[in-house]
Amino acid sequence: RLTLEYSRPRARSRDSLFGKTVTWGEGWTPGANWATTLEVSKDVRVNGRPLPTGKYSVWIVVRKEGAWTVVLDPKHRRYHTMHPDSTAEQVRFDVVPGATPFTEALTWSFSGLSPEGATLAMEWGTIRVPLEIRVSSSFSLLTPAENAAPFLGAYSFAWSGGPESSKPITLFVTHENGKISTFA
């Protein structure tokens, strides 16, 4: 389970949010009031970095050029002005901000959901910052032989009517190494 808590600041017609409202080179929590938090119920990987089970405050060091740095700090109960000091417990990694259509209210959203993870993205103004979250699937795609047994074998059928009606088709269902496969 991934839980994200944040407040939603608004652009309020400000141009250049990054560089003016959010100062270049400064750590910033992408939200308002209390620091944005990310909680994970099991160990995951975020942009390739291991992130242990727990709750973290989310910070981003924004830069005028080049990659930005995401900082996930285990001290999650912080006000947005209480920037964390650098510690060994933090998880840090670079992200490349991209462009997006204008977003008035800061928004975090999940996309690309799969059993192996999702993309968590922050959008505000015309900036999008994606975080790739990967998890070991807890859903097994393997089928025990005894569960597969009733479905295994050859199934023959023929089309009635049309040009293929004289050609029977045989579908074979097999089970190997925990996986069910089909072929004709």
Side-chain angles (χ1 to χ4, degrees):
R1 181 174 336 146
L2 304 172
T3 305
L4 188 76
E5 294 182 33
Y6 68 103
S7 294
R8 299 181 71 190
R10 303 208 179 276
R12 301 189 204 292
S13 302
R14 293 176 282 192
D15 60 351
S16 306
L17 292 167
F18 297 96
K20 289 185 180 177
T21 304
V22 180
T23 309
W24 296 127
E26 189 174 289
W28 163 72
T29 189
N33 304 324
W34 290 100
T36 294
T37 60
L38 173 64
E39 186 172 7
V40 295
S41 63
K42 66 188 283 187
D43 294 354
V44 299
R45 295 185 78 75
V46 181
N47 283 34
R49 299 270 199 236
L51 182 67
T53 302
K55 189 171 186 177
Y56 300 84
S57 57
V58 180
W59 303 85
I60 300 177
V61 178
V62 299
R63 294 185 182 83
K64 187 173 185 175
E65 295 180 12
W68 294 6
T69 302
V70 172
V71 178
L72 302 176
D73 191 288
K75 293 179 183 162
H76 60 274
R77 186 74 174 147
R78 292 181 175 273
Y79 199 66
H80 75 274
T81 57
M82 300 168 54
H83 302 191
D85 290 330
S86 183
T87 68
E89 293 81 30
Q90 293 172 340
V91 175
R92 295 174 165 264
F93 52 88
D94 287 343
V95 294
V96 178
T100 191
F102 184 80
T103 305
E104 169 65 25
L106 185 140
T107 302
W108 284 94
S109 61
F110 288 98
S111 64
L113 298 172
S114 76
E116 294 82 33
T119 300
L120 172 60
M122 184 280 303
E123 295 181 357
W124 196 33
T126 57
I127 296 293
R128 180 176 190 271
V129 177
L131 307 178
E132 296 299 324
I133 300 176
R134 295 290 164 249
V135 62
S136 297
S137 178
S138 56
F139 178 73
S140 175
L141 297 176
L142 301 179
T143 304
E146 60 273 9
N147 292 354
F151 305 101
L152 303 180
Y155 298 84
S156 292
F157 58 95
W159 298 106
S160 61
E164 300 293 322
S165 62
S166 62
K167 292 173 121 178
I169 297 173
T170 303
L171 177 69
F172 298 93
V173 180
T174 63
H175 181 264
E176 187 175 333
N177 297 324
K179 294 182 182 178
I180 295 176
S181 300
T182 60
F183 62 94

